[in-house]
Amino acid sequence: ETGVTQTPRHLVMGMTNKKSLKCEQHLGHNAMYWYKQSAKKPLELMFVYNFKEQTENNSVPSRFSPECPNSSHLFLHLHTLQPEDSALYLCASRLSGEITDTQYFGPGTRLTVL
Amino acid sequence: GQNIDQPTEMTATEGAIVQINCTYQTSGFNGLFWYQQHAGEAPTFLSYNVLDGLEEKGRFSSFLSRSKGYSYLLLKELQMKDSASYLCAVGNSNYQLIWGAGTKLIIKP
C-alpha cells in the first residue's frame, strides 16, 4: 500500500462504547495529524505528533485519546462519545522540515455516534 | 482571531472557467494552500503560494496577494470530474494550517 491509510472507513458506535481509529502512513513522514471534519465547517485540528511526540492538543475533550507508537502509526481512542462527535475524522502526515509544509491525507473514518 | 473565508458553493458549466476566492486573516503567514476534496475522499494537494503572483499548473492556477490577504483558484476548461470541494488553508506563524470551510463546486453539462 502507498500513501496514508485509515481504518475503519465507517464506524457506528453507541455513547458507552470504546473504539479506536487507526492511521498508517507509508511515505516516510515524521509528523502526523488528526483532524475533525464536520459538514460545512473548516477542518478542526485535534492533535499533532512530531517524531512520535505530541506537540499540539487543541483543547480536545479527554474522551478523545491519541496514541503514536512510532512515526508510521497513529491511533485515536474513543470512549463515551457524544452525538455531536459524529463527523469525518481525517489523518494526515507531513515530512517535517519541508518548506511547503504539504500535508497528505488519508480517506478518513466516517464516525456516527448514536 | 484567525479566519479564512471562501464561498460556500459555486456552479459552473463544463468547458467554462471558474474562479474561487479566498480571503484570510491569520497570525503570521507561511504560505497558502489549495486542496481538492471529492465527496467521501481525502483532500488532495493542488497548489502552494508563498510569494505574490500567479502559479500555473495545467488547467489550474492559483493567485496570491499578501497585502490584501487574498487568493483565488482559477480552473479552466472545466470537466465534470472537477466537481468537488476546494479547500483554502493558510500556514500561520506556528506552521499550523488554518482551514476555510471549503467551496463546493458543481459542474453542469
Side-chain angles (χ1 to χ4, degrees), chain A residues 9 37 42 56 100-101 103 106, chain B residues 33 35 37 40 42 95-96 99:
Chain A
R9 293 294 308 275
Q37 187 176 36
E56 293 287 342
T100 62
D101 204 39
Q103 295 181 18
Chain B
F33 299 79
Y35 280 77
Q37 185 178 25
Y95 289 92
Q96 283 188 8
W99 294 84

Side-chain angles (χ1 to χ4, degrees), chain B residues 25-95:
Chain B
Q25 286 181 307
T26 56
S27 56
F29 180 82
N30 277 302
L32 186 142
F33 299 79
W34 285 96
Y35 280 77
Q36 180 190 59
Q37 185 178 25
H38 286 100
E41 297 183 13
T44 54
F45 170 76
L46 284 179
S47 68
Y48 170 75
N49 294 68
V50 67
L51 299 177
D52 290 351
L54 188 68
E55 294 281 342
E56 297 187 76
K57 193 184 291 185
R59 294 188 298 115
F60 293 5
S61 303
S62 55
F63 172 83
L64 174 67
S65 169
R66 288 171 296 169
S67 62
K68 296 181 179 178
Y70 167 71
S71 172
Y72 66 73
L73 181 69
L74 191 71
L75 292 75
K76 302 177 184 177
E77 301 169 16
L78 286 170
Q79 302 175 10
M80 297 304 293
K81 67 178 182 179
D82 297 329
S83 293
S85 288
Y86 291 86
L87 311 179
C88 175
V90 174
N92 68 6
S93 54
N94 293 327
Y95 289 92

Side-chain angles (χ1 to χ4, degrees), chain A residues 11-30:
Chain A
L11 179 62
V12 179
M13 58 188 290
M15 289 191 285
T16 58
N17 292 158
K18 290 185 179 181
K19 296 286 184 183
S20 295
L21 310 184
K22 179 182 177 182
C23 175
E24 186 173 358
Q25 59 94 1
H26 309 270
L27 301 169
H29 292 170
N30 46 38

